[in-house]
Amino acid sequence: SAKDAGRLASVWVLHKAQEALVELSMRYGIKLNLFHGRGGSVGRGGGPQYLATLSQPAGSVQGWMRVTVQGEVIDRFFGLPSIASHTMERYTVSVLRATLAPPEPPSQESRALMETLAERSCQVYRSIVFDTPAFVDLFRAITPEQELKALNIGSRPSKRSVGGIEALRAIPWIFAWTQSRLQLPVWLGVGTAIKEHIAAGNIDKLQGMYREWPFFRSTVELLEVVLAKTSRRIARYYEDVLLASPSEEVDAVRKKVWQELDDFEEAIQQVTGHVCLLEEAHSQSSRVAILNRTPLVDPLNVLQAAIMVPPPPCARAPASEPLRTHVAHIAVRCLRRD
């Protein structure tokens, strides 16, 4: 899963699994109908549906497609008759196009490069998230993960059992980082992987993959959307308020995380060739939506950080209702698919 391996590795493994299923279905004459989950955030399967459908492996969309929409965003797809109609139009057009004009398979060179990108990003992701003990302390200090557990949000417990990150379910893992606007689970490790290939002289190959391979283009564009939604200013504010005196170990992993974000932003802009984020014509609506939402969400984040400040030992614990309210409002504005 993306929580275990990072976004880039997880989507590539899923893509290869679909290719294998297509090959088997064709060999044995089995009708294949893959079941796709669509969430609100990119880390939960969100993103533009049209581009996601067209980036599926050739043969995996054969006139039909089965989709489940996560409950937290179902109203945004089917909440009103006009919205539901528009959603079904996008599904219909994208399925027809993917069926009648499926994408050309990538070259073996592109596949090999993608394989090394996925492996390297996974190594970096796991080295920080699972192999650095201080990361858990950082995570719990600068996100509302601990508070989310007490709010009884969702249909299942936030953890499967007692433990660290490995015991945390995918939804609260993504949700906590979305609340603090850092979006770490989606981009961590990607910047290092891409920059190492750029340093090895593969920038032309990466840019060619971005232009010609729908799967890679879709993956990079979704990462660019996440980068546009990430707020360095708000994430640093959470650190300033909630991490006043970090230990040396926590401070070291904090600096590593920020370096990874710098590398990620630089790498994405080099691959896309964009001067600014979301500058292509088809991305303008997303860019405008993000810009319009930002001044509405920022004050909520400031208030949430203030509520999360640990009270003095003799003081009463802060009420959960204000935090619940801020969690809900930030989620509504940050988990959109734009």
Side-chain angles (χ1 to χ4, degrees):
S1 69
K3 184 177 80 73
D4 296 324
R7 168 75 183 179
L8 199 61
S10 67
V11 296
W12 176 234
V13 169
L14 286 173
H15 191 82
K16 291 192 296 180
Q18 291 180 72
E19 290 178 325
L21 289 171
V22 169
E23 194 275 329
L24 285 172
S25 68
M26 290 181 174
R27 183 191 306 174
Y28 296 104
I30 300 172
K31 178 181 176 181
L32 181 67
N33 189 4
L34 295 172
F35 196 174
H36 297 268
R38 304 293 297 167
S41 65
V42 171
R44 290 277 294 139
Q49 174 58 42
Y50 184 81
L51 183 59
T53 303
L54 297 183
S55 66
Q56 301 304 308
S60 65
V61 181
Q62 302 175 22
W64 53 80
M65 183 183 228
R66 187 178 179 188
V67 177
T68 179
V69 178
Q70 301 295 337
E72 72 265 21
V73 294
I74 196 168
D75 62 309
R76 298 171 203 161
F77 290 96
F78 301 101
L80 294 172
S82 59
I83 296 175
S85 176
H86 185 54
T87 297
M88 294 309 299
E89 285 180 9
R90 282 192 304 231
Y91 276 114
T92 302
V93 173
S94 62
V95 168
L96 285 173
R97 182 173 175 183
T99 301
L100 300 174
E104 292 292 327
S107 66
Q108 288 302 314
E109 184 180 40
S110 294
R111 291 182 65 88
L113 202 158
M114 184 64 209
E115 188 73 33
T116 58
L117 284 173
E119 290 179 357
R120 181 59 178 143
S121 67
C122 179
Q123 290 172 358
V124 175
Y125 177 91
R126 290 192 63 84
S127 70
I128 295 175
V129 174
F130 293 100
D131 299 336
T132 306
F135 178 82
V136 177
D137 296 330
L138 177 69
F139 170 56
R140 289 175 174 165
I142 65 173
T143 74
E145 184 263 342
Q146 296 291 302
E147 289 78 5
L148 290 175
K149 292 190 299 184
L151 294 182
N152 195 28
I153 296 175
S155 59
R156 294 182 293 178
S158 61
K159 280 192 173 185
R160 294 179 173 85
S161 60
V162 177
I165 302 299
E166 69 280 354
L168 196 65
R169 292 188 183 275
I171 294 177
W173 167 246
I174 295 291
F175 200 53
W177 289 108
T178 302
Q179 290 282 308
S180 66
R181 308 271 291 281
L182 193 55
Q183 317 280 359
L184 176 143
V186 181
W187 52 258
L188 186 64
V190 177
T192 294
I194 294 178
K195 287 197 71 176
E196 288 179 355
H197 272 285
I198 292 174
N202 292 328
I203 182 61
D204 291 339
K205 296 176 183 177
L206 290 167
Q207 291 175 339
M209 289 166 60
Y210 176 72
R211 291 192 303 269
E212 300 165 8
W213 188 8
F215 164 75
F216 189 72
R217 184 179 187 89
S218 171
T219 300
V220 171
E221 289 194 351
L222 287 177
L223 290 171
E224 189 179 28
V225 170
V226 169
L227 186 57
K229 290 182 175 182
T230 300
S231 173
R232 292 171 179 265
R233 182 165 54 90
I234 291 298
R236 287 196 182 277
Y237 180 78
Y238 273 66
E239 285 188 2
D240 293 341
V241 173
L242 304 170
L243 199 65
S245 302
S247 66
E248 290 185 8
E249 293 80 7
V250 170
D251 192 52
V253 71
R254 179 188 66 83
K255 291 177 180 177
K256 177 62 176 174
V257 165
W258 284 109
Q259 183 59 55
E260 285 291 327
L261 179 57
D262 291 339
D263 291 343
F264 171 64
E265 181 170 7
E266 183 180 345
I268 290 297
Q269 290 186 303
Q270 285 185 272
V271 170
T272 61
H274 295 167
V275 177
C276 59
L277 297 173
L278 304 177
E279 70 177 27
E280 294 198 18
H282 66 268
S283 300
Q284 289 306 300
S285 59
S286 295
R287 186 181 182 187
V288 170
I290 293 170
L291 290 174
N292 287 341
R293 286 199 299 268
T294 297
L296 302 176
V297 185
D298 284 355
L300 296 174
N301 281 117
V302 171
L303 291 172
Q304 184 185 84
I307 295 171
M308 288 169 57
V309 174
C314 59
R316 290 180 57 190
S320 64
E321 191 56 36
L323 183 59
R324 186 194 299 271
T325 300
H326 286 90
V327 165
H329 283 291
I330 292 171
V332 166
R333 289 162 176 82
C334 290
L335 289 178
R336 296 180 64 87
R337 65 188 182 275
D338 303 301

